[in-house]
Amino acid sequence: MTAQGCVAFDLGAESGRAVLAAFDGSKITLQEVHRFANGPQRLPQGYHWNILELWANLQAGLRRAAAQARQEELELAHLGVDTWGVDYALVGRSGQILGLPWAYRDPRHAVGMQQALEQVGAKALYEATGVQFLPFNTLFQLLALRQAEPGLLDQARRLLFIPDLLHYFFTGQRVNEATIASTSQMIDPRSGAWHAKLLQDLGLPTHFLEEAIVPAGTRIGPLRPEVAQEAGVGAMEVIAPGSHDTASAVAAVPVDASATPRWAYLSSGTWSLMGVEREAPLLSDAAREANFTNERGVCGKIRFLKNIAGLWLVQEVRRDLAQQGQELDYPQLTRLAEQAPPFATLVNPDHA
């Protein structure tokens, strides 16, 4: 019997990768078959993600995974995508994307946060959503969009977060997965459903929100035939993972909670996320004042965590050096850092 494999796409704010995974009954093997750069593009009106280039790289990754699977006599059965949080696309009546997805680092989103805090107040907003206050949360992005281009919200028929959008490209099916939706600051942390009253109180429409939010592990549907044909694969099925990359990272922590009930995680990428898994959200004044967030995890868990300025500083150093003609990889940067005199400069990475 031919062994089965799957393809996992992991997209971060600096790069993405396609990983071929196989399970032989006792051991999982992982092979990175494609890695590609990602980064927001500055257009006249602000920062956007190049979603079509990302989609082209996912298709290229699937082709490479299929070629490797044939060599190893693996039958590709499933695939799924996870990405960074909060960013989204609006889809119109015909299924067309209404504009390029905005990138969370665009400064225009901050006006939405200011408006929400003035209308609702920090305490009420945290009680309603349990999400930390970051100027790029989806809620604030939509408030900023309403000011800049209100017609887009009226035309929209669906809101899809970035992994939801890529699953739509693969299958033609439009669903919102729970872990990525929970980064939006539009979810009731107790029920996991859209907080329609909050959105209405802020003057935002809700007609583009699918009523049901599906959990991680949901079978979305088969690949579109033209996608499968182009990639050279058979009847693969798309399954939603923990579509927020941190949710998948936390689910992969090799800990037995019954044997080790007190444990925490630190997941580092462009951002570092530090926190714990809980059975229920924590919405106390202390949690709000410390700016901790309550996001959905895999298997119904709550990820109680805080965003910390992570490796973005290192990524920016590398990018700046590249613009000056010095192409250095991360091992080279690490060696140079080890050789440099310590504490020549102190930087507060949380300073605005």
Side-chain angles (χ1 to χ4, degrees):
M1 179 179 177
T2 303
Q4 286 195 338
C6 65
V7 184
F9 296 99
D10 174 44
L11 275 60
E14 186 199 30
S15 66
R17 56 185 172 158
V19 175
L20 174 63
F23 180 59
D24 65 5
S26 62
K27 183 176 67 175
I28 296 174
T29 58
L30 303 173
Q31 298 179 65
E32 182 180 295
V33 294
H34 184 44
R35 181 176 283 269
F36 49 93
N38 183 30
Q41 305 296 310
R42 188 189 291 274
L43 298 179
Q45 74 276 30
Y47 279 114
H48 291 273
W49 296 110
N50 189 343
I51 194 67
L52 294 183
E53 183 178 23
L54 288 177
W55 171 233
N57 273 296
L58 263 61
Q59 293 177 91
L62 183 56
R63 287 194 297 272
R64 294 184 183 185
Q68 185 66 28
R70 284 192 291 272
Q71 290 184 23
E72 300 182 16
E73 298 184 346
L74 285 174
E75 178 186 352
L76 290 183
H78 309 105
L79 69 79
V81 182
D82 73 37
T83 79
W84 66 96
V86 305
D87 288 338
Y88 68 94
L90 296 174
V91 178
R93 186 188 305 274
S94 68
Q96 179 176 336
I97 303 175
L98 303 180
L100 291 171
W102 287 89
Y104 66 86
R105 289 198 184 275
D106 192 277
R108 80 173 197 159
H109 304 318
V111 301
M113 178 172 172
Q114 180 181 354
Q115 178 187 338
L117 293 176
E118 289 174 354
Q119 283 187 242
V120 178
K123 185 169 185 176
L125 190 54
Y126 193 80
E127 172 67 21
T129 66
V131 170
Q132 63 190 323
F133 296 101
L134 296 169
F136 46 70
N137 291 342
T138 316
L139 176 66
F140 305 144
Q141 292 196 38
L142 290 175
L143 288 169
L145 179 63
R146 189 187 61 179
Q147 291 190 31
E149 294 283 350
L152 284 179
L153 295 180
D154 296 332
Q155 296 173 40
R157 290 298 175 268
R158 288 299 305 274
L159 181 148
L160 297 176
F161 299 97
I162 299 298
D164 300 334
L165 180 68
L166 295 169
H167 288 146
Y168 167 52
F169 288 173
F170 274 121
T171 66
Q173 302 298 315
R174 289 172 277 188
V175 300
N176 293 123
E177 188 273 333
T179 67
I180 192 72
S182 72
T183 68
S184 66
Q185 205 167 27
M186 302 193 303
I187 301 292
D188 183 326
R190 302 163 191 83
S191 67
W194 300 111
H195 204 308
K197 184 179 185 305
L198 171 66
L199 300 178
Q200 292 161 3
D201 289 346
L202 288 169
L204 287 172
T206 59
H207 65 270
F208 48 67
L209 301 177
E210 180 73 10
E211 184 175 344
I213 299 174
V214 304
T218 296
R219 297 174 180 270
I220 297 176
L223 284 182
R224 290 188 292 122
E226 56 269 32
V227 174
Q229 182 178 6
E230 185 173 336
V233 298
M236 290 182 70
E237 187 175 27
V238 176
I239 299 178
S243 297
H244 185 212
D245 52 8
T246 309
S248 278
V250 172
V253 174
V255 65
D256 180 353
S258 60
T260 311
R262 296 175 63 84
W263 64 279
Y265 52 82
L266 175 63
S267 175
S268 286
T270 300
W271 290 89
S272 288
L273 302 310
M274 177 170 275
V276 298
E277 270 194 332
R278 290 176 51 86
E279 298 296 329
L282 182 57
L283 306 173
S284 65
D285 289 342
R288 170 174 50 81
E289 290 164 5
N291 210 27
F292 271 71
T293 198
N294 294 269
E295 296 172 358
R296 310 298 287 191
V298 174
C299 297
K301 301 291 188 180
I302 296 293
R303 293 178 288 122
F304 183 71
L305 62 87
K306 186 177 180 65
N307 274 44
I308 305 167
L311 300 178
W312 178 75
L313 286 170
V314 184
Q315 294 167 356
E316 287 294 283
V317 166
R318 184 182 181 213
R319 183 179 66 84
D320 186 65
L321 289 169
Q323 288 179 341
Q324 300 174 44
Q326 299 183 68
E327 292 284 351
L328 300 173
D329 60 24
Y330 289 117
Q332 289 173 309
L333 285 176
T334 302
R335 286 193 295 272
L336 290 170
E338 289 173 342
Q339 297 164 11
F343 300 110
T345 304
L346 295 179
V347 177
N348 175 9
D350 289 324
H351 193 290

